[in-house]
Amino acid sequence: MSLSVESRVVSGQQNHPAEKAPDPAAPPSTGRAGAAFRGLGLVLALAALVLVGLLSVWVGTRGIPFTATWDVLWNPDGSETSVIIHDYRVPRTLLGVLVGMALGLAGALMQALTRNPLADPGMLGVNLGASAGVVVAIAFLGIVAPLGYVWFALAGAAAASVGVFLLGSSGRKLASPERLVVAGAAVTAVLYAFNWAILLLNPRAFDQFRFWTVGSLAGRYHDIVLLILPFTGVGLVIALVLAPSLNALAMGDQMGRALGVNVGRTRVLGAVAVMLLCGAATAAAGPIGFVGLAVPHIARFVVGPDQRWVFAYSALIAPVLLVGADVIGRLIGAPGEVQVGIVTAFIGAPLFIALCRRRKLAML
């Protein structure tokens, strides 16, 4: 607690649609009834996001009545209350929405690319790459402000993603899901050793790094929000554009090619989108676990395997979970707070276990 600033890995086997028994408990998936169900779900998810966003702006270490919060939110007057709302809570809430959306989409995209239900955004080494960038910035350049090392985190995430893809594409074969998973595990192990070798030899850097690595939205202002907005925006567009192609690839590479999908280009663009989304989110808020892993399963539980709907739902459910966890952290840790990375672990782990027990994880 700190003071507040105000499954299995797929191994070449493919699931043929005929092998899947229909789930009688699943929501309607075709026709007007299915579209209406999914559309209503999106509306409800959007309403939930607006609600937790308002709670995030209202709740904090400084008690402010809701009516006063609402008035100042739309009519800033330069008062102390206005400064707290607009300079601290609003950017923190917006950052939570962006980071949550990025992690949810990155997780859904990663699971679709690797056809692995246990994949998360960090499987391509993005999280450890961002961590390595922050370690270098703190240990060797003395940069301790979030706005300073966020660029190094983005560069580290990009370098790790490129390294994983090049390693997975070595030889004559293209980067298959299995090769990407193995390459990601190798790069992650190397970066993990690199980070801790530096941190254990530099106690000052370790003290600075541990506040970032726990995952937090505190102390981030409008400059961080504006910095990661282009990266998350481009990643969002790429992910949504790739959704139909990923639906075709779910039946296997050969079937995807028969349906006109460029497999290599789809995987390259998918890796770029994961790097942009996860890299920006990790750079801004630090590594936050379970959001990218659990949220896509919640989305598939509601709408089925269609990636177009899974991506849309993940982009809304993930920020609800993340911003809600941030609000809970402020409430249970008052007058300080519990960082959002800790709260999401406590919420996400039981939620994911419950999903595993309630329904067998679908292979992708």
Side-chain angles (χ1 to χ4, degrees):
M1 220 168 54
S2 67
L3 294 179
S4 170
V5 183
E6 242 302 39
S7 190
R8 65 186 189 193
V9 174
V10 176
S11 58
Q13 299 173 345
Q14 304 296 335
N15 282 336
H16 192 276
E19 297 174 350
K20 296 182 179 180
D23 184 2
S29 58
T30 58
R32 295 182 179 179
F37 175 86
R38 292 164 168 175
L40 177 61
L42 280 179
V43 172
L44 293 177
L46 181 60
L49 180 58
V50 172
L51 177 60
V52 296
L54 289 175
L55 286 174
S56 179
V57 173
W58 176 34
V59 175
T61 55
R62 170 72 179 274
I64 302 175
F66 181 78
T67 53
T69 301
W70 183 262
D71 290 339
V72 171
L73 180 62
W74 300 108
N75 301 289
D77 54 12
S79 63
E80 182 181 0
T81 298
S82 179
V83 171
I84 292 173
I85 297 298
H86 288 277
D87 291 354
Y88 293 96
R89 297 184 185 176
V90 169
R92 180 172 184 163
T93 302
L94 293 176
L95 182 64
V97 171
L98 283 178
V99 169
M101 182 181 298
L103 290 176
L105 269 175
L109 187 56
M110 192 66 209
Q111 291 173 11
L113 282 172
T114 62
R115 297 197 290 275
N116 181 356
L118 295 181
D120 69 352
M123 185 171 283
L124 286 182
V126 178
N127 286 349
L128 266 297
S131 298
V134 174
V135 168
V136 170
I138 294 175
F140 299 115
L141 301 177
I143 299 174
V144 296
L147 187 60
Y149 56 63
V150 68
W151 287 106
F152 290 87
L154 286 168
S161 299
V162 172
V164 167
F165 192 83
L166 291 178
L167 186 60
S169 304
S170 60
R172 297 181 178 180
K173 295 183 179 180
L174 292 175
S176 65
E178 300 82 9
R179 292 164 67 91
L180 285 175
V181 169
V182 174
V187 171
T188 296
V190 171
L191 291 176
Y192 183 86
F194 170 80
N195 289 346
W196 284 103
I198 294 176
L199 293 174
L200 291 177
L201 295 174
N202 191 330
R204 181 189 61 83
F206 176 76
D207 287 338
Q208 295 290 337
F209 178 77
R210 65 191 179 94
F211 290 108
W212 175 82
T213 194
V214 72
S216 176
L217 300 177
R220 275 69 165 174
Y221 307 110
H222 286 292
D223 48 7
I224 299 292
V225 176
L226 295 176
L227 178 60
I228 71 167
L229 183 59
F231 298 97
T232 55
V234 174
L236 170 66
V237 172
I238 295 175
L240 295 179
V241 170
L242 289 179
S245 298
L246 292 171
N247 279 338
L249 287 182
M251 295 180 287
D253 290 358
Q254 292 183 352
M255 181 63 72
R257 291 190 185 95
L259 294 174
V261 176
N262 188 319
V263 177
R265 183 177 61 187
T266 298
R267 291 214 174 101
V268 170
L269 290 176
V272 169
V274 171
M275 182 271 293
L276 290 172
L277 292 167
C278 187
T282 305
I288 297 177
F290 283 104
V291 176
L293 176 62
V295 166
H297 288 284
I298 299 174
R300 279 191 291 272
F301 181 78
V302 176
V303 298
D306 189 337
Q307 299 298 344
R308 296 170 298 179
W309 289 98
V310 171
F311 286 1
Y313 270 76
S314 297
L316 291 178
I317 296 175
V320 171
L321 175 61
L322 187 64
V323 176
D326 188 45
V327 172
I328 292 173
R330 289 182 243 172
L331 291 175
I332 64 178
E337 70 177 64
V338 178
Q339 279 82 1
V340 67
I342 299 174
V343 180
T344 54
F346 275 99
I347 295 176
L351 180 62
F352 187 66
I353 293 172
L355 283 171
C356 293
R357 291 177 59 87
R358 178 179 177 85
R359 178 179 178 181
K360 186 177 180 180
L361 290 183
M363 297 305 295
L364 302 176

mmCIF file of all heavy atoms in Angstrom, residues 199-223:
data_model
loop_
_atom_site.group_PDB
_atom_site.id
_atom_site.type_symbol
_atom_site.label_atom_id
_atom_site.label_comp_id
_atom_site.label_asym_id
_atom_site.label_seq_id
_atom_site.Cartn_x
_atom_site.Cartn_y
_atom_site.Cartn_z
ATOM 1 N N LEU A 199 19.131 -4.733 -11.729
ATOM 2 C CA LEU A 199 18.453 -4.225 -10.537
ATOM 3 C C LEU A 199 19.109 -4.704 -9.250
ATOM 4 O O LEU A 199 19.208 -3.957 -8.273
ATOM 5 C CB LEU A 199 16.979 -4.639 -10.564
ATOM 6 C CG LEU A 199 16.135 -3.996 -11.662
ATOM 7 C CD1 LEU A 199 14.738 -4.596 -11.684
ATOM 8 C CD2 LEU A 199 16.050 -2.482 -11.463
ATOM 9 N N LEU A 200 19.564 -5.954 -9.230
ATOM 10 C CA LEU A 200 20.196 -6.470 -8.018
ATOM 11 C C LEU A 200 21.557 -5.834 -7.763
ATOM 12 O O LEU A 200 22.029 -5.795 -6.623
ATOM 13 C CB LEU A 200 20.346 -7.995 -8.123
ATOM 14 C CG LEU A 200 19.025 -8.775 -8.083
ATOM 15 C CD1 LEU A 200 19.288 -10.262 -8.280
ATOM 16 C CD2 LEU A 200 18.298 -8.534 -6.755
ATOM 17 N N LEU A 201 22.181 -5.334 -8.823
ATOM 18 C CA LEU A 201 23.468 -4.656 -8.665
ATOM 19 C C LEU A 201 23.315 -3.153 -8.455
ATOM 20 O O LEU A 201 24.318 -2.464 -8.209
ATOM 21 C CB LEU A 201 24.340 -4.905 -9.899
ATOM 22 C CG LEU A 201 24.772 -6.361 -10.125
ATOM 23 C CD1 LEU A 201 25.503 -6.490 -11.452
ATOM 24 C CD2 LEU A 201 25.646 -6.844 -8.976
ATOM 25 N N ASN A 202 22.098 -2.651 -8.569
ATOM 26 C CA ASN A 202 21.857 -1.207 -8.440
ATOM 27 C C ASN A 202 20.642 -0.989 -7.543
ATOM 28 O O ASN A 202 19.519 -0.871 -8.034
ATOM 29 C CB ASN A 202 21.628 -0.603 -9.834
ATOM 30 C CG ASN A 202 21.638 0.919 -9.802
ATOM 31 O OD1 ASN A 202 21.280 1.547 -8.804
ATOM 32 N ND2 ASN A 202 22.037 1.524 -10.915
ATOM 33 N N PRO A 203 20.837 -0.914 -6.227
ATOM 34 C CA PRO A 203 19.695 -0.755 -5.304
ATOM 35 C C PRO A 203 18.879 0.511 -5.571
ATOM 36 O O PRO A 203 17.653 0.510 -5.404
ATOM 37 C CB PRO A 203 20.365 -0.711 -3.922
ATOM 38 C CG PRO A 203 21.680 -1.401 -4.117
ATOM 39 C CD PRO A 203 22.101 -1.073 -5.520
ATOM 40 N N ARG A 204 19.531 1.587 -5.992
ATOM 41 C CA ARG A 204 18.785 2.819 -6.258
ATOM 42 C C ARG A 204 17.806 2.624 -7.406
ATOM 43 O O ARG A 204 16.650 3.046 -7.340
ATOM 44 C CB ARG A 204 19.756 3.954 -6.597
ATOM 45 C CG ARG A 204 19.067 5.292 -6.872
ATOM 46 C CD ARG A 204 20.061 6.304 -7.414
ATOM 47 N NE ARG A 204 20.633 5.854 -8.671
ATOM 48 C CZ ARG A 204 20.033 6.011 -9.851
ATOM 49 N NH1 ARG A 204 18.839 6.586 -9.928
ATOM 50 N NH2 ARG A 204 20.628 5.593 -10.950
ATOM 51 N N ALA A 205 18.274 1.954 -8.465
ATOM 52 C CA ALA A 205 17.388 1.689 -9.591
ATOM 53 C C ALA A 205 16.260 0.753 -9.184
ATOM 54 O O ALA A 205 15.124 0.901 -9.626
ATOM 55 C CB ALA A 205 18.191 1.093 -10.752
ATOM 56 N N PHE A 206 16.584 -0.208 -8.317
ATOM 57 C CA PHE A 206 15.548 -1.139 -7.865
ATOM 58 C C PHE A 206 14.450 -0.406 -7.097
ATOM 59 O O PHE A 206 13.258 -0.695 -7.269
ATOM 60 C CB PHE A 206 16.166 -2.226 -6.983
ATOM 61 C CG PHE A 206 15.160 -3.164 -6.394
ATOM 62 C CD1 PHE A 206 14.577 -4.160 -7.167
ATOM 63 C CD2 PHE A 206 14.774 -3.036 -5.071
ATOM 64 C CE1 PHE A 206 13.630 -5.020 -6.628
ATOM 65 C CE2 PHE A 206 13.823 -3.887 -4.518
ATOM 66 C CZ PHE A 206 13.256 -4.879 -5.298
ATOM 67 N N ASP A 207 14.835 0.543 -6.236
ATOM 68 C CA ASP A 207 13.837 1.301 -5.475
ATOM 69 C C ASP A 207 12.900 2.074 -6.390
ATOM 70 O O ASP A 207 11.701 2.180 -6.128
ATOM 71 C CB ASP A 207 14.545 2.266 -4.513
ATOM 72 C CG ASP A 207 15.167 1.538 -3.333
ATOM 73 O OD1 ASP A 207 14.721 0.410 -3.045
ATOM 74 O OD2 ASP A 207 16.097 2.090 -2.726
ATOM 75 N N GLN A 208 13.442 2.640 -7.465
ATOM 76 C CA GLN A 208 12.601 3.375 -8.408
ATOM 77 C C GLN A 208 11.754 2.422 -9.250
ATOM 78 O O GLN A 208 10.572 2.680 -9.491
ATOM 79 C CB GLN A 208 13.478 4.231 -9.332
ATOM 80 C CG GLN A 208 14.232 5.343 -8.632
ATOM 81 C CD GLN A 208 13.316 6.448 -8.145
ATOM 82 O OE1 GLN A 208 12.207 6.625 -8.651
ATOM 83 N NE2 GLN A 208 13.766 7.184 -7.146
ATOM 84 N N PHE A 209 12.346 1.331 -9.672
ATOM 85 C CA PHE A 209 11.662 0.410 -10.582
ATOM 86 C C PHE A 209 10.485 -0.287 -9.913
ATOM 87 O O PHE A 209 9.463 -0.534 -10.550
ATOM 88 C CB PHE A 209 12.662 -0.624 -11.101
ATOM 89 C CG PHE A 209 12.063 -1.664 -12.010
ATOM 90 C CD1 PHE A 209 11.753 -1.365 -13.323
ATOM 91 C CD2 PHE A 209 11.796 -2.947 -11.543
ATOM 92 C CE1 PHE A 209 11.199 -2.315 -14.171
ATOM 93 C CE2 PHE A 209 11.244 -3.908 -12.376
ATOM 94 C CZ PHE A 209 10.945 -3.595 -13.691
ATOM 95 N N ARG A 210 10.586 -0.609 -8.629
ATOM 96 C CA ARG A 210 9.538 -1.388 -7.974
ATOM 97 C C ARG A 210 8.223 -0.626 -7.884
ATOM 98 O O ARG A 210 7.158 -1.241 -7.821
ATOM 99 C CB ARG A 210 9.995 -1.827 -6.582
ATOM 100 C CG ARG A 210 10.237 -0.714 -5.581
ATOM 101 C CD ARG A 210 10.932 -1.233 -4.342
ATOM 102 N NE ARG A 210 11.208 -0.190 -3.371
ATOM 103 C CZ ARG A 210 10.408 0.104 -2.351
ATOM 104 N NH1 ARG A 210 9.292 -0.584 -2.176
ATOM 105 N NH2 ARG A 210 10.714 1.080 -1.506
ATOM 106 N N PHE A 211 8.266 0.697 -7.909
ATOM 107 C CA PHE A 211 7.030 1.468 -7.891
ATOM 108 C C PHE A 211 6.336 1.418 -9.260
ATOM 109 O O PHE A 211 5.120 1.514 -9.342
ATOM 110 C CB PHE A 211 7.304 2.921 -7.497
ATOM 111 C CG PHE A 211 7.693 3.085 -6.060
ATOM 112 C CD1 PHE A 211 8.992 3.387 -5.713
ATOM 113 C CD2 PHE A 211 6.765 2.920 -5.046
ATOM 114 C CE1 PHE A 211 9.365 3.526 -4.390
ATOM 115 C CE2 PHE A 211 7.124 3.062 -3.716
ATOM 116 C CZ PHE A 211 8.427 3.365 -3.383
ATOM 117 N N TRP A 212 7.124 1.272 -10.318
ATOM 118 C CA TRP A 212 6.528 1.173 -11.648
ATOM 119 C C TRP A 212 6.027 -0.233 -11.934
ATOM 120 O O TRP A 212 4.952 -0.426 -12.496
ATOM 121 C CB TRP A 212 7.566 1.559 -12.711
ATOM 122 C CG TRP A 212 7.101 1.378 -14.112
ATOM 123 C CD1 TRP A 212 6.330 2.242 -14.853
ATOM 124 C CD2 TRP A 212 7.356 0.250 -14.970
ATOM 125 N NE1 TRP A 212 6.103 1.722 -16.102
ATOM 126 C CE2 TRP A 212 6.708 0.506 -16.201
ATOM 127 C CE3 TRP A 212 8.064 -0.931 -14.817
ATOM 128 C CZ2 TRP A 212 6.764 -0.392 -17.264
ATOM 129 C CZ3 TRP A 212 8.115 -1.827 -15.872
ATOM 130 C CH2 TRP A 212 7.466 -1.558 -17.074
ATOM 131 N N THR A 213 6.780 -1.238 -11.512
ATOM 132 C CA THR A 213 6.473 -2.609 -11.921
ATOM 133 C C THR A 213 5.235 -3.180 -11.240
ATOM 134 O O THR A 213 4.683 -4.177 -11.703
ATOM 135 C CB THR A 213 7.686 -3.520 -11.637
ATOM 136 O OG1 THR A 213 7.519 -4.763 -12.330
ATOM 137 C CG2 THR A 213 7.811 -3.823 -10.139
ATOM 138 N N VAL A 214 4.765 -2.552 -10.160
ATOM 139 C CA VAL A 214 3.579 -3.075 -9.492
ATOM 140 C C VAL A 214 2.316 -2.761 -10.294
ATOM 141 O O VAL A 214 1.296 -3.431 -10.153
ATOM 142 C CB VAL A 214 3.469 -2.502 -8.060
ATOM 143 C CG1 VAL A 214 3.067 -1.034 -8.088
ATOM 144 C CG2 VAL A 214 2.499 -3.307 -7.217
ATOM 145 N N GLY A 215 2.352 -1.751 -11.160
ATOM 146 C CA GLY A 215 1.198 -1.385 -11.978
ATOM 147 C C GLY A 215 0.306 -0.388 -11.271
ATOM 148 O O GLY A 215 -0.343 -0.729 -10.277
ATOM 149 N N SER A 216 0.276 0.842 -11.731
ATOM 150 C CA SER A 216 -0.500 1.885 -11.054
ATOM 151 C C SER A 216 -0.925 2.954 -12.048
ATOM 152 O O SER A 216 -0.239 3.213 -13.042
ATOM 153 C CB SER A 216 0.338 2.524 -9.940
ATOM 154 O OG SER A 216 -0.360 3.586 -9.327
ATOM 155 N N LEU A 217 -2.068 3.583 -11.744
ATOM 156 C CA LEU A 217 -2.548 4.722 -12.526
ATOM 157 C C LEU A 217 -2.293 6.040 -11.815
ATOM 158 O O LEU A 217 -2.571 7.107 -12.368
ATOM 159 C CB LEU A 217 -4.060 4.589 -12.793
ATOM 160 C CG LEU A 217 -4.510 3.346 -13.567
ATOM 161 C CD1 LEU A 217 -6.031 3.319 -13.682
ATOM 162 C CD2 LEU A 217 -3.873 3.306 -14.953
ATOM 163 N N ALA A 218 -1.780 5.978 -10.592
ATOM 164 C CA ALA A 218 -1.551 7.191 -9.814
ATOM 165 C C ALA A 218 -0.353 7.956 -10.357
ATOM 166 O O ALA A 218 0.618 7.369 -10.848
ATOM 167 C CB ALA A 218 -1.320 6.829 -8.347
ATOM 168 N N GLY A 219 -0.422 9.277 -10.251
ATOM 169 C CA GLY A 219 0.698 10.115 -10.658
ATOM 170 C C GLY A 219 0.862 10.281 -12.149
ATOM 171 O O GLY A 219 1.882 10.774 -12.612
ATOM 172 N N ARG A 220 -0.137 9.867 -12.926
ATOM 173 C CA ARG A 220 -0.099 10.052 -14.379
ATOM 174 C C ARG A 220 -1.085 11.161 -14.741
ATOM 175 O O ARG A 220 -2.222 11.162 -14.274
ATOM 176 C CB ARG A 220 -0.484 8.776 -15.120
ATOM 177 C CG ARG A 220 0.657 7.796 -15.331
ATOM 178 C CD ARG A 220 1.135 7.162 -14.069
ATOM 179 N NE ARG A 220 1.978 5.994 -14.337
ATOM 180 C CZ ARG A 220 2.609 5.330 -13.400
ATOM 181 N NH1 ARG A 220 2.493 5.696 -12.129
ATOM 182 N NH2 ARG A 220 3.350 4.285 -13.714
ATOM 183 N N TYR A 221 -0.640 12.052 -15.603
ATOM 184 C CA TYR A 221 -1.447 13.222 -15.914
ATOM 185 C C TYR A 221 -1.782 13.262 -17.405
ATOM 186 O O TYR A 221 -1.557 12.296 -18.135
ATOM 187 C CB TYR A 221 -0.715 14.489 -15.460
ATOM 188 C CG TYR A 221 -0.302 14.412 -13.999
ATOM 189 C CD1 TYR A 221 1.038 14.289 -13.644
ATOM 190 C CD2 TYR A 221 -1.262 14.427 -12.987
ATOM 191 C CE1 TYR A 221 1.418 14.193 -12.320
ATOM 192 C CE2 TYR A 221 -0.893 14.335 -11.656
ATOM 193 C CZ TYR A 221 0.447 14.223 -11.318
ATOM 194 O OH TYR A 221 0.807 14.109 -10.006
ATOM 195 N N HIS A 222 -2.314 14.393 -17.852
ATOM 196 C CA HIS A 222 -2.784 14.500 -19.230
ATOM 197 C C HIS A 222 -1.666 14.243 -20.244
ATOM 198 O O HIS A 222 -1.944 13.750 -21.343
ATOM 199 C CB HIS A 222 -3.384 15.887 -19.476
ATOM 200 C CG HIS A 222 -4.730 16.092 -18.839
ATOM 201 N ND1 HIS A 222 -5.860 15.426 -19.259
ATOM 202 C CD2 HIS A 222 -5.109 16.879 -17.807
ATOM 203 C CE1 HIS A 222 -6.892 15.800 -18.519
ATOM 204 N NE2 HIS A 222 -6.471 16.684 -17.637
ATOM 205 N N ASP A 223 -0.428 14.571 -19.894
ATOM 206 C CA ASP A 223 0.659 14.388 -20.862
ATOM 207 C C ASP A 223 0.857 12.915 -21.193
ATOM 208 O O ASP A 223 1.115 12.558 -22.353
ATOM 209 C CB ASP A 223 1.956 15.012 -20.343
ATOM 210 C CG ASP A 223 2.268 14.617 -18.903
ATOM 211 O OD1 ASP A 223 1.549 13.746 -18.357
ATOM 212 O OD2 ASP A 223 3.225 15.175 -18.325
#
